[in-house]
Amino acid sequence: MVNFLIFGPPGSGKGTQSVKLAEKYNLMHLSTGDMLRAEIAAGSALGKKMSSIMSKGELVPDEVVIELIASKIDNTKNRAGFLFDGFPRTVAQTVALEKMLNERGMKIDSMLVLDVDHDELVKRLILRADQSGRPDDADPAVIENRIDVYRAKTEPIIDYCRQKGIYQPVNGVGSIDEIFGRLCDGMKTFLTR
Ligand code: ADP
C-alpha cells in the first residue's frame, strides 16, 4: 500500500482535494476532523467531550485521534493505500502513525503540503462558514487561533518529514482543478493510474 499525508493550514483545501484524490487513486480517505464531527453528530460521550475543544480551535488530545485512526487501519481492505487528512497534527501523532504503519510493514510514502497565504485562508474559511455550518468557521477569532495552532504545533511536522525526504510542497492557490492536477503530479510517481 502507498500512504500519503495531505497537509496544510485550515482552509488550505485538504478536505476538498482528498475526496477527489481518494476516488481517483482508490485510496482510503481518513479525516480525523470528519471522524470527530461524526462523534459529535452521534451524540457520543467522546463527541460531547471533544466539541468544546474543537469549537475553540484547539487540538483534541493526541491519544484520542491516534485511537480513532488505529481503529480504521486494520479494517481497510481493497485499497491502494491511505490518504491521511488533518492527521497527524503534532509531531507526537506523526511518530505514533509511523509506528502503526511500520508494525504493519508500511510507511508514510509522501507528504503533500498545500501552500496558501494567511489572507486567502481567512477569506476561504469565512466563505465556507455559510455552507459548512461549522461553529469553528463562523468566528474570526477561532479561525485565527486555528491558524496559530497550526503554525505552532502542526507545522514542525514539515521539518520532520523534510529530513525523511518525503516532503512535497504544492501551490494551493488556483482553481480546484488546477490544484488537483498539481497534487496528482506529486502522487503519480507513487501510483500507477
Ligand atoms: P480544518 O483543517 O478546517 O481546521 P479539521 O476538520 O481537520 O479542520 O479539524 C477540525 C478540528 O478538529 C480541529 O480544529 C481540531 O480541534 C480537531 N482535530 C481534527 N484532527 C485533529 C488531530 N489530528 N489532532 C487534534 N485535533 C484534531
Side-chain angles (χ1 to χ4, degrees):
M1 305 231 306
V2 187
N3 303 308
F4 297 94
L5 307 185
I6 182 137
F7 211 82
S12 57
K14 301 183 295 285
T16 306
Q17 297 293 340
S18 293
V19 171
K20 290 166 69 76
L21 293 165
E23 199 199 337
K24 174 162 174 143
Y25 295 118
N26 186 32
L27 299 168
M28 179 69 187
H29 172 207
L30 294 182
S31 157
T32 43
D34 288 349
M35 291 179 207
L36 290 164
R37 281 185 292 276
E39 293 286 333
I40 295 174
S44 73
L46 181 74
K48 288 197 175 92
K49 261 174 79 180
M50 297 307 127
S51 77
S52 70
I53 301 176
M54 290 168 68
S55 64
K56 293 185 204 118
E58 296 295 324
L59 297 183
V60 310
D62 287 340
E63 54 281 11
V64 169
V65 283
I66 291 166
E67 193 54 44
L68 286 173
I69 290 285
S71 71
K72 300 280 183 190
I73 287 188
D74 286 328
N75 293 326
T76 298
K77 304 261 161 4
N78 305 320
R79 301 288 180 139
F82 289 99
L83 179 56
F84 296 97
D85 162 15
F87 177 90
R89 255 181 163 89
T90 61
V91 173
Q93 290 179 22
T94 314
V95 173
L97 176 62
E98 284 185 306
K99 182 161 179 280
M100 279 189 270
L101 293 174
N102 290 344
E103 284 168 359
R104 291 162 179 81
M106 299 186 281
K107 61 182 188 325
I108 304 169
D109 292 278
S110 172
M111 171 206 228
L112 297 142
V113 182
L114 290 167
D115 284 326
V116 178
D117 64 76
H118 179 275
D119 291 353
E120 173 74 16
L121 294 174
V122 175
K123 216 164 67 191
R124 287 187 190 174
L125 289 168
I126 287 171
L127 239 146
R128 185 172 83 177
D130 276 342
Q131 305 128 28
S132 72
R134 280 173 52 173
D136 59 344
D137 285 344
D139 182 342
V142 173
I143 290 176
E144 288 298 338
N145 190 42
R146 283 158 63 202
I147 297 172
D148 287 351
V149 167
Y150 173 80
R151 302 281 176 226
K153 298 190 175 158
T154 306
E155 217 166 39
I157 302 171
I158 293 180
D159 266 346
Y160 181 88
C161 287
R162 193 187 270 132
Q163 279 164 29
K164 294 187 180 260
I166 58 172
Y167 164 67
Q168 291 198 74
V170 175
N171 177 0
V173 180
S175 71
I176 289 178
D177 286 342
E178 277 163 1
I179 300 163
F180 182 61
R182 292 174 200 146
L183 289 165
C184 291
D185 286 343
M187 278 187 164
K188 68 183 172 218
T189 49
F190 298 90
L191 293 152
T192 48
R193 238 177 79 189

